[in-house]
Amino acid sequence: MKLSIETRNPSSGLKSDTKSEKFQTANLARCTYTLLMVLVFYNFQLPWIVVIGSVHLTFSIVWFLLIQFDILIEKNLWWSGYVPATFDLIWLTVLAYGTGNITSFFILGYLGSIALSSMSIDRNYGIYNAFLATVLFSTMGFFVYYDILPLINIMMTPVKPTLLSIFISSTLLGGSAFLVNQIVSKLFYSLTDVNEKLLAIAMTDPLTGISNRRSFFSNLEIEMARQHRSHSPYPIAFLLFDLDLFKTINDTYGHEIGDLVLVEFASVLKTSLRKQDFPSRWGGEEFLVLLPNTEIEGAIIVAEKIRTTFHSLTIPVKGIQIRCSTSVGISILKDQHTNPESVINLADEYLYEAKRNGRNQVYSEKNVTI
């Protein structure tokens, strides 16, 4: 059996890509909407609002670039959601002041942008949005009420607000910001949960519950990258198991019993390995195990433990007890520049020798040199 290792990782970039797409969608919406609003206020000759909008547009573009190059996401900054939410709400307050408070359709449209921009790494900015929106809008309302700011309205005839209208509009806006944020956040959580479940299905063998070949490739790439970064490169052991006479078991007792044997062997793997080890179903009755930072001596000990544990099991079949065994081939990846394909193929060759020499045994370079 020869194999070809694909140089791609089906899962390594999934969450990162999801975050990047989410952030960039929000930032693109922010940039586009702010540009349109700046043009609108420029047309109505309100220069101070245009200046504030231009500052917000500049910030939005800078934020867009920071997310584009993963500077904020990878560092997981706690303020990566609060800062854009704050800028958005300040700009929203200025929009409301110039367009008629929350009666303007501009406000309702921009609430969607707030919800998207506040969906940062943990998406817990709904309460913050509600509080800040209420404070900013009530403050702006009081400025107008006490004639600190002049009445400006490009949508309708300016009407001086009352204290009651300031309270109601600010409360409604804060509540709207919170509700929109919660709705969009729950939707995003649901989509993320579905994606993670689909990924788990794609990377797991449905019968045994351990990882499949596709998942093994992904973890092998991660482990090799970790090995390359290490100041003291460590060996990686590969243990290739094949259940002895498995076709005979299927032909004699049926595929249901064969499946039970596979499940039992996978259970032995799970209970015999360290947390950092990685077992996978390689295909059919073959299983491949990756042991990071393991020399040949240690790999042989692990393989013998798994072999003897599995062989000691008794499986009840139609009133009788059957025993099964497994053969093992071991190879070690020592050099960072060695192609792992050749190392795994070597484990396959050792596995063939174990079977040829009587099965139910471990075979490695130690057998060759003795």
Side-chain angles (χ1 to χ4, degrees):
M1 178 195 69
K2 300 294 182 182
L3 68 147
S4 175
I5 293 183
E6 301 177 12
T7 58
R8 58 187 172 90
N9 183 341
S11 64
S12 61
L14 180 65
K15 293 186 177 180
S16 177
D17 290 345
T18 302
K19 287 180 181 179
S20 296
E21 291 173 4
K22 174 190 63 176
F23 272 109
Q24 290 305 66
T25 300
N27 279 280
L28 185 59
R30 180 188 296 112
C31 292
T32 303
Y33 200 96
T34 303
L35 177 60
L36 291 175
M37 291 300 96
V38 168
L39 294 176
V40 168
F41 282 104
Y42 179 80
N43 183 63
F44 282 93
Q45 298 181 347
L46 297 172
W48 74 273
I49 298 182
V50 171
V51 170
I52 295 177
S54 300
V55 172
H56 186 267
L57 179 60
T58 302
F59 159 80
S60 300
I61 294 174
V62 171
W63 206 258
F64 184 92
L65 295 176
L66 290 175
I67 301 302
Q68 179 67 32
F69 294 102
D70 290 339
I71 295 174
L72 296 179
I73 295 177
E74 291 183 356
K75 292 184 179 180
N76 198 27
L77 299 178
W78 69 269
W79 45 267
S80 60
Y82 288 104
V83 171
T86 301
F87 271 78
D88 285 343
L89 287 167
I90 292 174
W91 174 232
L92 178 57
T93 304
V94 175
L95 281 181
Y97 174 65
T99 56
N101 217 317
I102 62 171
T103 58
S104 169
F105 67 90
F106 291 113
I107 305 304
L108 299 178
Y110 203 68
L111 280 175
S113 178
I114 290 180
L116 286 173
S117 67
S118 63
M119 283 199 323
S120 186
I121 294 185
D122 57 9
R123 301 178 296 281
N124 290 326
Y125 302 103
I127 295 178
Y128 175 76
N129 278 346
F131 173 76
L132 188 59
T134 302
V135 171
L136 289 173
F137 270 81
S138 59
T139 301
M140 182 70 76
F142 285 129
F143 283 168
V144 174
Y145 180 79
Y146 289 107
D147 297 324
I148 298 175
L149 290 176
L151 285 173
I152 297 177
N153 197 320
I154 64 173
M155 300 296 298
M156 59 194 73
T157 303
V159 178
K160 189 172 183 177
T162 63
L163 292 176
L164 179 62
S165 68
I166 293 173
F167 172 78
I168 293 176
S169 62
S170 300
T171 303
L172 287 177
L173 182 73
S176 299
F178 177 76
L179 290 176
V180 172
N181 178 273
Q182 294 299 103
I183 292 172
V184 178
S185 295
K186 288 182 179 180
L187 176 62
F188 185 82
Y189 268 124
S190 299
L191 293 175
T192 302
D193 185 56
V194 170
N195 287 336
E196 290 178 351
K197 289 180 179 178
L198 291 176
L199 178 62
I201 292 173
M203 305 293 275
T204 304
D205 175 55
L207 175 63
T208 62
I210 64 175
S211 298
N212 57 19
R213 178 186 289 231
R214 182 184 184 188
S215 181
F216 182 88
F217 286 144
S218 173
N219 280 272
L220 174 57
E221 289 182 7
I222 294 173
E223 191 58 45
M224 291 189 66
R226 186 180 292 116
Q227 182 197 50
H228 291 176
R229 292 194 302 267
S230 176
H231 295 295
S232 301
Y234 53 82
I236 299 176
F238 296 94
L239 280 57
L240 184 58
F241 295 83
D242 185 274
L243 304 191
D244 297 328
L245 302 175
F246 185 74
K247 185 178 184 302
T248 302
I249 295 175
N250 274 334
D251 293 341
T252 304
Y253 304 107
H255 289 279
E256 182 178 351
I257 300 302
D259 288 347
L260 177 60
V261 171
L262 293 173
V263 172
E264 289 292 336
F265 183 75
S267 178
V268 171
L269 288 180
K270 294 175 185 177
T271 57
S272 302
L273 297 174
R274 304 168 300 180
K275 183 178 181 181
Q276 65 267 35
D277 300 332
F278 190 81
S280 67
R281 187 178 179 187
W282 196 238
E285 66 272 22
E286 289 188 327
F287 295 80
L288 184 59
V289 177
L290 183 153
L291 303 179
N293 197 16
T294 306
E295 296 283 1
I296 184 65
E297 291 80 8
I300 292 174
I301 293 174
V302 174
E304 284 289 359
K305 176 183 177 182
I306 294 172
R307 183 191 66 80
T308 56
T309 301
F310 180 63
H311 188 53
S312 66
L313 293 179
T314 56
I315 301 176
V317 178
K318 299 178 181 179
I320 63 173
Q321 303 286 332
I322 66 171
R323 291 178 182 271
C324 305
S325 63
T326 180
S327 300
V328 193
I330 301 176
S331 61
I332 306 294
L333 176 63
K334 301 177 181 179
D335 188 350
Q336 296 180 5
H337 305 291
T338 301
N339 187 344
E341 175 184 352
S342 62
V343 180
I344 298 177
N345 285 333
L346 180 59
D348 186 51
E349 294 175 9
Y350 287 148
L351 172 62
Y352 174 79
E353 290 298 323
K355 286 187 169 293
R356 193 173 67 86
N357 285 279
R359 302 186 180 90
N360 192 26
Q361 59 183 279
V362 176
Y363 207 91
S364 68
E365 62 186 42
K366 290 289 187 178
N367 300 86
V368 177
T369 57
I370 293 176

